[in-house]
Every structure is written in C-alpha cells, then in structure tokens.
Amino acid sequence: MSQVQHTERQIKAEFEKLHQFLREEEEARLAALREEEEQKSRIMKEKIENIKGHISTLTAKITAIEKIMDTEDTSSLQSYKNTKERAQCTLQDPELLSGARIDVAKHLGNLKFRVWEKMLEMVQYTPVVLDPNTVRTYVSLSDDLTTVRHTGTDHKYPDNPERFSNCVSVLGSEGFTSGKHSWEVKVGNKLSWDIGVVKESISRKGSISYSPGRGFWVLMLRNGDKYRAAGVTDLTLKRKPQSIRVQLDYDRGEVSFFDSSDMSLIYTSKDTFTESVFPYFCPHLKGDKNEGPLQICPVKISVKVMSNQ
C-alpha cells in the first residue's frame, strides 16, 4: 500500500469515528425528546381521564334531577333541597398545566456547543506527534503517530534524506525555535531507551554519537538501571520512572527531564540553541525481547467559558 493510500485510509477512519459519535449523540438527544413527549403525554392523558370521570359523575346527577323534576310526587318535591345539594359540582374549568409544553430550550439551547463539549471526552491531544518520514526501517509507529516501537523487522522504508539509517530513532514532526514546550513519554519497564531533544542538522546517516556538542540533549537508560545524561554524566535515581516529562525552554537554552509521577527533577542540560530543535525518541530492543513501545502521553483538554462582563 502506498503512503498516500495508507494516509487516506487513516483519515477516513478518523472521520468515521467522529461521524459515529455524532450519529449516536443525535439519536440520544432525539430519544430524550421523545421520552419527554411520552412522559408529558401520559400526564395529560391522566388529567383528561380525571376530567372525564367528573363529567360522568355530573351527567349522572343531572339525569337524576331531571327524573325528579318530571314527577309530580309531592314527597319528591319536598326532597328537592337534598337533591340540589347532591347536584353541587366542584369541577373547575380545566387549566393548562405548568410545564406541559416541551422544554425546547433544554433540547436546543447551545446544542452545538454541548455536543462539542462532550466530544472532548473522545478526543485526545498530544503536544508532540512523530514524523514517519524520519523512522529507521526497524521502527514502526502507531496509526495516531504517538507511539514508537522497535519491531526488529525491516519495513523497507525509502531512504529519504530525513530518515535515520542506522540509529533506531524517530523525531517529532514539529521543530521549535522559541518558547517553552513540554511533553510526557511513557517508558514503562523498558530496559533501554533514549529520550530528549536534538538539533535539526544532526547527522542521520551512519553511526551517531550522543553529546550536546553534536546537537543531542538526551536522557538515556541502559540495562534497566543505568541512567545517563548523554555525553555528560551518569545519574543515580531513587526509583525507576514509568514516564518521563521533557521540558524545553528554548530561549534559556534548557532541556529538563522529570519523573512524571511526582515531577522530581532528574537532570537539566544547559546550552545555547541556534537552530530548530526536535523531540527525539529511540526505543531500543534488548536482544530478541520486545519490551514494548515509547508512548507520548495525551494531555487533558478542558473548556472554560468566559463571561462578557
């Protein structure tokens, strides 16, 4: 399958998820409307049946009075007062009940916003996505471009200039030339990995040697317990992090690494950036053991409605 066909298939799949969500949300809201209609129809039917009962009682009383009035029996006439009292009717004119109408505002008010707000529950945002044009042939990416795995299998990608030829690495799709940026990488119990930032002009062909002087500001793990700031110093950590937060401050020339569980600082590298820098990921494979991927974690999305005042 060509790159265009694969990308087209993924675009259609993502839009189908959105279409399915909208179809289900539409049906749920129409069902709520129908349920309200049925509920209020039942209430109105109960009221109508109650009125019919009063009318039936009144009709019976009128019939009884008419029979009395048709007789010339004096004793019956003498009981007129009692009959009149029995004929008193307390039935009131029917009134339109409060809330009898459909609550249109509940169903239509801010409808698009409410649906969009709910859509956030199914939508994920990751601050960094991976560039498939940079991965080495033994590396594969997830369809949403947030997970990288060393498969040990040659995928026969074309050898374009952006692609790493020897190092099992991949770059983020977007480079940075200013500002502050951060992303979190789930590393789990992998025994070896490299995570950090590299400058755009690094060599991507042939062997690679990590050091800030060569444009690599990278945190490394080897053999499950040996951490190192590449080209700088060995590190001693109190525990094995399950995820690493990378924080870039381009203007101050700082790349910091944190244990995401408590945001304890692991290491900060200081330098001067003079070109675009890119997020960097290298998921090593320990022998023939597939230890799982490196995954860029999504961030929480929230909506804040601002008042006009």
Side-chain angles (χ1 to χ4, degrees):
M1 181 180 296
S2 71
Q3 190 178 34
V4 171
Q5 290 173 325
H6 177 75
T7 304
E8 180 180 346
R9 185 187 67 179
Q10 291 305 121
I11 290 173
K12 289 182 177 180
E14 290 301 313
F15 271 95
E16 177 55 31
K17 293 177 184 178
L18 296 176
H19 294 158
Q20 182 62 28
F21 168 83
L22 291 174
R23 286 193 293 265
E24 292 175 355
E25 187 66 17
E26 177 186 10
E27 182 55 38
R29 292 178 179 273
L30 290 175
L33 174 62
R34 290 191 291 266
E35 182 180 356
E36 182 181 350
E37 179 191 24
E38 292 173 359
Q39 180 185 19
K40 293 188 173 180
S41 294
R42 286 195 301 269
I43 294 175
M44 293 306 298
K45 287 178 181 178
E46 291 172 359
K47 294 296 182 181
I48 291 173
E49 291 301 320
N50 186 42
I51 292 173
K52 287 182 177 179
H54 283 291
I55 292 174
S56 178
T57 300
L58 180 58
T59 300
K61 290 180 178 181
I62 292 173
T63 301
I65 292 174
E66 288 176 343
K67 289 182 178 180
I68 292 174
M69 297 300 294
D70 288 342
T71 182
E72 296 180 358
D73 190 346
T74 304
S75 60
S76 297
L77 293 175
Q78 290 176 345
S79 64
Y80 171 74
K81 181 178 181 181
N82 296 331
T83 303
K84 180 180 178 181
E85 292 175 354
R86 287 190 294 112
Q88 295 299 314
C89 179
T90 58
L91 183 64
Q92 298 178 349
D93 292 336
E95 296 180 357
L96 187 60
L97 297 175
S98 175
R101 302 281 291 172
I102 293 295
D103 190 350
V104 176
K106 180 182 72 174
H107 298 287
L108 291 182
N110 291 314
L111 177 59
K112 293 179 182 178
F113 174 80
R114 297 304 176 194
V115 172
W116 173 76
E117 187 178 39
K118 189 173 180 180
M119 186 180 289
L120 293 181
E121 299 174 5
M122 65 167 289
V123 174
Q124 288 188 338
Y125 171 77
T126 51
V128 170
V129 295
L130 304 172
D131 183 357
N133 291 329
T134 65
V135 297
R136 192 190 171 190
T137 56
Y138 287 92
V139 175
S140 68
L141 306 182
S142 61
D143 289 336
D144 63 359
L145 305 179
T146 64
T147 301
V148 54
R149 182 188 299 271
H150 190 322
T151 63
T153 302
D154 191 346
H155 297 283
K156 303 297 183 183
Y157 299 137
D159 187 23
N160 50 291
E162 303 91 347
R163 193 176 309 281
F164 289 94
S165 62
N166 288 333
C167 186
V168 287
S169 306
V170 61
L171 298 184
S173 63
E174 180 183 1
F176 306 114
T177 57
S178 64
K180 296 180 180 179
H181 311 273
S182 65
W183 55 95
E184 184 175 321
V185 185
K186 183 179 179 181
V187 297
N189 291 314
K190 285 180 66 63
L191 301 178
S192 299
W193 45 257
D194 308 330
I195 297 171
V197 172
V198 300
K199 65 182 182 181
E200 184 176 18
S201 61
I202 60 168
S203 173
R204 305 186 191 188
K205 309 299 180 181
S207 61
I208 290 178
S209 178
Y210 291 160
S211 72
R214 291 183 171 87
F216 290 83
W217 298 271
V218 177
L219 180 67
M220 306 163 54
L221 171 65
R222 295 291 182 271
N223 300 320
D225 60 357
K226 296 180 180 180
Y227 294 89
R228 181 174 178 79
V232 183
T233 183
D234 293 329
L235 303 170
T236 300
L237 277 62
K238 295 180 179 179
R239 59 177 173 270
K240 182 180 175 67
Q242 295 295 297
S243 61
I244 303 293
R245 177 174 290 273
V246 184
Q247 189 166 293
L248 166 68
D249 188 332
Y250 187 98
D251 300 321
R252 297 183 63 178
E254 294 181 353
V255 180
S256 299
F257 302 92
F258 300 86
D259 181 340
S260 299
S261 64
D262 60 2
M263 287 303 294
S264 56
L265 178 65
I266 298 174
Y267 184 78
T268 295
S269 177
K270 296 185 179 181
D271 212 319
T272 300
F273 302 133
T274 58
E275 60 180 276
S276 294
V277 295
F278 286 76
Y280 178 81
F281 309 85
C282 184
H284 289 278
L285 188 67
K286 187 67 175 178
D288 294 329
K289 182 179 179 182
N290 192 331
E291 302 172 355
L294 296 175
Q295 180 181 5
I296 305 169
C297 301
V299 298
K300 186 177 181 180
I301 303 174
S302 60
V303 178
K304 185 176 182 180
V305 180
M306 303 296 293
S307 172
N308 291 329
Q309 296 179 351

